[in-house]
Amino acid sequence: MEVCYQLPVLPLDRPVPKHVLSRRGAISFSSNSYFFGGPAPRQLAKRRGAISYDSENQTALYIRMLDVRVRSQVGFEPELRGSHPYLYVDFRTLHSPPQSAGPVSARNVRRLLSFQRYLHSSRFIRGIPASNPLGYILDDDYTGQAKLMLEKVGNWNFDMFLFDRLTNGNSLVNLTFHLFNSYGLIELFQLDMVKLRRFLVMIQEDYRSQNPYHNAVHAADVTQAMYCYLQEPKLAETMTSCDLLLGLLAAATHDLDHPGVNQPFLIKTNHYLAALYKNISVLENHHWKSAVGLLRESALLSHLPTEDRLNMEERLGSLILATDISRQNNYLSEFRTHLDKRDLCLTNGGHRHFILQIALKCADICNPCRPWKLSKLWSEKVTEEFFHQGDIERKHHLEVTPLCDRQSNSVANIQIGFMTYVVEPLFVEWSRFSDTRLSQTMMGHLSLNKQGWKEGRDKQEASTSRASKEQRTSAVKDSNSKELPQGSKRS
């Protein structure tokens, strides 16, 4: 964070006025400031939400007035009760190199590692410190706005992109922890809050932030949608606390450690995951096993009886495996049959679990049912990820997946096809099952968004057609002018 140029400058022997200390922003105390020949602000040590001083000018002290929570970081002493956090800073250590925790044997790191966790653990083993240990600190304004958004977490218009910005990229952790707390699951299952927080942080870290679509923000969005469905009358009246716990866990982990490419790509490149799961629900099996690995590593459910814990892991896997898009028609056909026969009984544990599977499937592909502004952004992100896979396939001379070919496809065409053949059939049946205001809202958005993509595509095609026609006309005129016989005159 850059130090502000327009800072109030006070000599060290002068008391700091209260109105200055109460200001939001940065304060500079210096007897030899930049304005009087001191070092330029860009040369100053930069610390977000903390205190820094200029190593060249031992009398210059810079404070960034943010929502600072003192923790056991280098340079900070424990805060005394009733004291101000800025008063206990050891300035001698601010510019000293970080102390290494000592070598850690790789053999002692016994984990079920995903790709992301391997990167994190390997950095830890090599003694590489975190790049920005104070990066999670936020201004009170942002924290306050995020809390206000959580009060309306059941609103279908919930903007997960905004919430992720307000939480400094921690949308999945904050949202899931809030939902666990609001449902009372922490008390019901006697969950250790520290273990729960650590578990959620590990989940968020295991999503690859470089993926345009399959990242932690998508997982948070699916979790929020799952919460909306769990609030529907038929589910709210019948789901048990265990159903709620598994539904939220499955939503948060359903794409854990997603590589940003689809299953056919893994199969045709002989990826080790395809071999491991014998080309069957490759990604979904990996997401499930990664989630189980984090559950065991965090010991979140270690206090439960072994039989109950293993049963919950199996049910979690059954939910995540239901998101396999290649099995879409099987689940849809079974759902439609139940609705036709009217034999769904949510007092039956098996039927409740099946509805949880359907709800998770709806949450996973509900982007076209969001308001246009959000839906369009999600559509562009998922298409960007598709096209990136196609670029890789073309670069390595592999058969380009038709859906991922940017040369023959457009965002509009992909979304219209996705809505028509995947989203609409599933949500029509969900509306039959739960004919509520939310279902009507989702179907309304789906219809409007589909029409919006069609109109955009038609305009683009018409514009392209006109441009092509003008080019042909221009080419014909040029050709005719060149073919005039020598000596001929125009009338």
Side-chain angles (χ1 to χ4, degrees):
M1 178 177 293
E2 295 184 4
V3 180
C4 297
Y5 281 84
Q6 293 79 21
L7 304 179
V9 180
L10 303 170
L12 285 175
D13 56 352
R14 277 184 57 183
V16 183
K18 290 184 178 180
H19 74 276
V20 175
L21 282 176
S22 64
R23 284 188 58 188
R24 291 184 62 248
I27 300 178
S28 165
F29 302 85
S30 175
S31 60
N32 184 20
S33 70
Y34 168 68
F35 302 102
F36 299 96
R42 293 186 183 276
Q43 298 173 355
L44 302 174
K46 304 179 183 67
R47 289 178 65 84
R48 180 189 174 101
I51 299 179
S52 65
Y53 81 114
D54 177 22
S55 58
E56 297 179 1
N57 179 3
Q58 299 295 326
T59 62
L61 174 66
Y62 297 84
I63 302 178
R64 175 65 179 170
M65 302 297 289
L66 288 176
D67 176 22
V68 177
R69 295 171 175 82
V70 176
R71 299 177 184 271
S72 56
Q73 300 288 349
V74 175
F76 287 86
E77 297 293 335
E79 180 181 359
L80 300 183
R81 185 178 298 275
S83 64
H84 197 283
Y86 295 129
L87 300 181
Y88 295 91
V89 180
D90 185 357
F91 293 99
R92 294 170 299 178
T93 63
L94 286 177
H95 290 280
S96 60
Q99 296 179 357
S100 174
V104 180
S105 172
R107 295 180 181 178
N108 294 331
V109 185
R110 297 176 180 177
R111 294 177 172 177
L112 294 171
L113 296 176
S114 67
F115 177 78
Q116 292 295 93
R117 295 216 61 72
Y118 171 76
L119 292 181
H120 285 291
S121 65
S122 63
R123 287 174 61 84
F124 176 68
I125 291 170
R126 298 196 303 270
I128 301 176
S131 58
N132 186 14
L134 294 175
Y136 53 82
I137 295 179
L138 288 173
D139 194 302
D140 272 337
D141 285 351
Y142 291 94
T143 304
Q145 291 178 60
K147 288 180 179 179
L148 286 175
M149 287 193 69
L150 284 176
E151 292 176 4
K152 300 180 180 180
V153 69
N155 191 323
W156 188 246
N157 297 340
F158 193 91
D159 187 341
M160 191 56 65
F161 297 107
L162 173 60
F163 184 70
D164 192 64
R165 291 194 295 272
L166 292 176
T167 56
N168 200 27
N170 292 301
S171 55
L172 183 58
V173 172
N174 285 275
L175 175 80
T176 311
F177 191 90
H178 171 79
L179 295 179
F180 268 62
N181 191 46
S182 63
Y183 270 126
L185 298 175
I186 298 175
E187 293 78 15
L188 284 170
F189 289 91
Q190 299 180 346
L191 301 178
D192 185 297
M193 292 183 68
V194 175
K195 290 181 179 179
L196 175 59
R197 196 80 183 188
R198 179 170 177 260
F199 171 66
L200 296 177
V201 169
M202 289 194 295
I203 290 177
Q204 185 170 269
E205 288 179 347
D206 269 12
Y207 279 95
R208 306 189 188 188
S209 58
Q210 67 269 27
N211 289 346
Y213 181 80
H214 289 104
N215 50 42
V217 185
H218 165 66
D221 189 66
V222 172
T223 304
Q224 189 270 339
M226 188 66 169
Y227 172 72
C228 291
Y229 300 149
L230 291 174
Q231 292 292 100
E232 291 287 79
K234 283 189 176 181
L235 279 73
E237 295 168 1
T238 57
M239 292 293 162
T240 66
S241 56
C242 189
D243 294 328
L244 298 175
L245 176 70
L246 288 172
L248 294 176
L249 279 179
T253 61
H254 80 286
D255 274 332
L256 199 59
D257 195 38
H258 196 291
V261 293
N262 60 20
Q263 176 172 291
F265 181 89
L266 297 179
I267 293 174
K268 67 185 176 184
T269 56
N270 298 318
H271 195 275
Y272 79 94
L273 287 176
L276 179 63
Y277 298 114
K278 300 179 181 179
N279 299 342
I280 300 174
S281 298
V282 177
L283 288 171
E284 290 71 27
N285 271 300
H286 178 57
H287 305 325
W288 169 34
K289 296 301 183 182
S290 297
V292 170
L294 295 189
L295 274 172
R296 296 183 181 182
E297 180 184 349
S298 65
L300 181 65
L301 305 178
S302 60
H303 60 288
L304 300 179
T306 302
E307 184 178 354
D308 293 344
R309 188 169 66 250
L310 293 177
N311 179 261
M312 292 180 73
E313 291 176 357
E314 288 296 322
R315 292 178 63 190
L316 177 65
S318 177
L319 290 173
I320 295 176
L321 288 173
T323 62
D324 185 354
I325 200 69
S326 67
R327 301 171 62 190
Q328 177 85 354
N329 289 335
N330 296 336
Y331 282 97
L332 182 59
S333 176
E334 185 177 353
F335 192 28
R336 187 178 289 127
T337 300
H338 278 303
L339 295 176
D340 290 341
K341 293 182 177 181
R342 299 183 179 180
D343 63 353
L344 275 174
C345 179
L346 297 187
T347 57
N348 179 293
H351 286 188
R352 286 200 311 274
H353 186 74
F354 176 72
I355 290 301
L356 272 181
Q357 290 177 315
I358 297 298
L360 182 58
K361 289 179 66 63
C362 289
D364 190 26
I365 61 172
C366 72
N367 299 148
C369 300
R370 298 282 193 180
W372 170 254
K373 179 182 176 181
L374 299 176
S375 178
K376 182 174 183 290
L377 190 52
W378 283 118
S379 298
E380 291 169 348
K381 287 181 175 295
V382 72
T383 308
E384 180 185 351
E385 193 168 294
F386 288 163
F387 287 165
H388 179 66
Q389 175 182 322
D391 294 341
I392 295 174
E393 291 170 332
R394 182 172 284 105
K395 177 180 178 181
H396 294 280
H397 307 290
L398 300 170
E399 182 182 356
V400 179
T401 305
L403 194 66
C404 303
D405 192 349
R406 69 171 71 245
Q407 296 180 1
S408 61
N409 259 317
S410 66
V411 179
N413 282 330
I414 291 174
Q415 287 306 306
I416 292 170
F418 180 59
M419 292 179 184
T420 303
Y421 300 109
V422 179
V423 180
E424 194 168 10
L426 179 61
F427 278 87
V428 165
E429 301 305 323
W430 179 264
S431 297
R432 286 178 61 195
F433 165 71
S434 179
D435 187 12
T436 63
R437 182 178 179 180
L438 174 60
S439 294
Q440 295 168 7
T441 298
M442 291 190 299
M443 294 304 294
H445 285 315
L446 178 62
S447 177
L448 290 173
N449 293 338
K450 188 175 179 181
Q451 185 62 31
W453 284 116
K454 285 183 177 179
E455 291 176 356
R457 180 190 62 182
D458 293 343
K459 288 181 180 179
Q460 185 176 6
E461 289 178 351
S463 175
T464 303
S465 177
R466 284 196 303 271
S468 178
K469 185 177 181 180
E470 289 175 358
Q471 289 178 353
R472 289 196 300 270
T473 303
S474 177
V476 169
K477 288 182 178 178
D478 291 344
S479 177
N480 290 338
S481 63
K482 291 178 181 179
E483 292 177 359
L484 286 173
Q486 292 183 356
S488 64
K489 296 181 180 180
R490 294 181 182 271
S491 57

